[in-house]
Amino acid sequence: MMMKLVFPDGDRPQMLLDNRVYRLGSAPESDVVLAADGVEPIHCELQVGAQGVQMRVPGGIQVQVNERPVAGLIALRAGDMLGLAGSRIRLVDASGESAGARGADRVDANATMVRPVLPKFALRGLSGEFFGRSLPLQTTLTIGRAEEAGLRIPLDSISRLHARLTPAGDEVLVEDLGSANGTWLNGKRITSAQAVHGDEIRFDTQRFQLLVPGQPVRVKSEGVAAPSRWPLLVAAVLALAGVAYWLLR
């Protein structure tokens, strides 16, 4: 079923939805930028897939569906009206609009087709079942063993909602969500920190490297001790002492 977003206030064209995640909020990098008062930078997410459209609402953020407050991860259906602060958005079934088209699908002339873009970041697995795999990171991603986690790691050592990654400009905000076994950035346990290309992010023992596609991978030498400079310094001192001895004879 093809779905689209319709804006009853008429401040923008309709938007056809592809199978991916859409961020709605006031941040300039959001997929749907909303300028109404009270809209958070990332107010909510729409997850569009084979199972339909689901909306994820972060804790403490006010969102209404058909004038009723909602929170967490909920399923949406055609005809639902979303209320985000002062903005209204209706989810509409657009699949019937192709009826009668000849040779190609026909869509609403006012609709804007939004196509997937290459992710700015990726996570490359360095251990466990994700070893060698690259996972796109183009929107906020929750890591945990819970079914609703965006990146599900079904291990007892991983908390249900373990951590959250949020791309922001040239960095990714890494937040621990109160996990039991910790979130680590380049070997240091953190609660909240900024990660960049080449950094290693670890959730308990599950290791990933943050990458920017197209950029060379930074080679790290973790665990390898740097060569000591003391032997060189001692040799230099002995050499100078020898030169001084021969000059003073």
Side-chain angles (χ1 to χ4, degrees):
M1 178 184 296
M2 181 180 294
M3 305 291 281
K4 69 179 180 180
L5 299 179
V6 176
F7 302 87
D9 296 333
D11 58 344
R12 67 191 69 207
Q14 302 169 16
M15 176 185 292
L16 291 175
L17 300 178
D18 289 328
N19 288 350
R20 68 179 183 94
V21 176
Y22 294 84
R23 293 180 298 175
L24 286 68
S26 60
E29 63 270 20
S30 299
D31 299 290
V32 180
V33 179
L34 303 172
D37 292 340
V39 175
E40 300 292 335
I42 303 298
H43 205 89
C44 66
E45 292 179 352
L46 296 181
Q47 302 175 2
V48 185
Q51 303 302 319
V53 181
Q54 293 181 309
M55 180 168 63
R56 187 184 72 84
V57 182
I61 293 183
Q62 296 183 357
V63 173
Q64 293 184 332
V65 175
N66 301 327
E67 300 184 356
R68 293 185 177 182
V70 296
L73 187 66
I74 64 170
L76 299 177
R77 58 186 179 182
D80 283 346
M81 177 68 79
L82 315 182
L84 288 69
S87 297
R88 296 183 305 151
I89 305 173
R90 185 177 294 279
L91 185 66
V92 176
D93 180 5
S95 57
E97 296 179 357
S98 60
R102 297 181 179 180
D105 290 336
R106 178 172 55 86
V107 297
D108 193 321
N110 292 324
T112 300
M113 176 65 77
V114 178
R115 301 187 182 278
V117 297
L118 290 176
K120 187 170 185 178
F121 296 98
L123 291 176
R124 185 180 67 177
L126 301 179
S127 66
E129 65 174 289
F130 294 98
F131 178 78
R133 294 172 55 185
S134 290
L135 310 171
L137 177 61
Q138 58 188 6
T139 185
T140 300
L141 179 68
T142 302
I143 296 91
R145 73 170 190 271
E147 291 287 347
E148 62 266 26
L151 173 56
R152 184 170 183 264
I153 305 177
L155 298 175
D156 291 339
S157 59
I158 301 296
S159 298
R160 293 189 70 261
L161 296 178
H162 195 103
R164 180 169 56 230
L165 305 181
T166 304
D170 294 329
E171 300 176 326
V172 171
L173 176 61
V174 184
E175 300 173 276
D176 185 82
L177 299 179
S179 67
N181 294 320
T183 299
W184 307 73
L185 179 62
N186 296 328
K188 180 180 179 181
R189 186 166 184 170
I190 57 96
T191 55
S192 178
Q194 299 287 346
V196 297
H197 173 68
D199 282 348
E200 181 180 305
I201 305 172
R202 178 161 62 90
F203 314 108
D204 187 38
T205 61
Q206 304 303 297
R207 298 164 51 232
F208 297 85
Q209 188 174 34
L210 180 67
L211 300 175
V212 175
Q215 289 194 16
V217 178
R218 185 175 68 192
V219 178
K220 294 190 174 184
S221 56
E222 292 184 4
V224 179
S228 175
R229 297 182 180 181
W230 281 108
L232 296 176
L233 293 175
V234 172
V237 170
L238 291 176
L240 290 174
V243 171
Y245 172 78
W246 286 106
L247 290 175
L248 295 175
R249 289 185 61 185

